[in-house]
Amino acid sequence: MRHRNIVLIAISLLCTFGLSGCDKPGSAEQAGKNIDEAASETGKKVDETIDKYESKVSEQGAESAQVWADTEVTTKVKAGLLGEPGLKSLQISVDTVGGVVTLTGKADSQANSDKAGAIALAIDGVENVVNQLTLTATQ
């Protein structure tokens, strides 16, 4: 839709420049040159606009893909933590940004904190783990 609007604007500009060339004194050849120049300039501007638009769409697509990948990693880490016996996984929050997993919350021992970090690191797509779990005394 946006591309079609740009083309319509370009055609309108082309016609306007062409008609303005016909009003000037001189030969039809000069008017034709004016039309050619206007068409060339308009084509360049349309191409630049389309290139910028395509670049933005590509950037947004890449950002969306990263968000989906991070969401998938977070889900896999949470599932891995839930499946680990003895680990109080409901007290552990998982956040993933750019493949870096951050664990926050509470662990009842250093061993369980380390275990949670190792489980997260073993998940495909995890680049690094930032383990910010705090230790709480068992009751």
Side-chain angles (χ1 to χ4, degrees):
M1 183 68 164
R2 196 176 235 177
H3 178 68
R4 190 174 83 193
N5 289 342
I6 292 170
V7 171
L8 290 175
I9 291 169
I11 291 170
S12 298
L13 288 172
L14 181 62
C15 290
T16 301
F17 286 130
L19 291 175
S20 68
C22 292
D23 290 343
K24 295 181 182 175
S27 67
E29 186 176 314
Q30 184 60 39
K33 286 181 182 179
N34 289 347
I35 291 173
D36 288 345
E37 288 174 10
S40 176
E41 194 62 34
T42 302
K44 288 178 187 174
K45 290 183 180 182
V46 167
D47 287 344
E48 289 172 7
T49 302
I50 290 172
D51 288 345
K52 287 179 186 176
Y53 178 74
E54 288 174 346
S55 176
K56 286 281 188 191
V57 169
S58 293
E59 288 174 18
Q60 290 174 350
E63 289 173 11
S64 294
Q66 183 62 52
V67 168
W68 278 108
D70 287 343
T71 301
E72 183 179 9
V73 166
T74 296
T75 302
K76 288 179 180 180
V77 171
K78 286 181 177 182
L81 295 175
L82 281 171
E84 186 61 34
L87 194 61
K88 295 181 180 178
S89 57
L90 296 179
Q91 294 181 355
I92 300 173
S93 295
V94 180
D95 186 42
T96 307
V97 177
V100 177
V101 173
T102 302
L103 302 176
T104 56
K106 299 176 183 180
D108 60 1
S109 69
Q110 186 62 50
N112 280 338
S113 175
D114 294 342
K115 187 186 298 185
I119 290 169
L121 193 56
I123 301 297
D124 188 40
V126 174
E127 301 293 325
N128 194 15
V129 175
V130 178
N131 190 337
Q132 297 179 342
L133 295 174
T134 58
L135 299 180
T136 60
T138 54
Q139 297 176 351

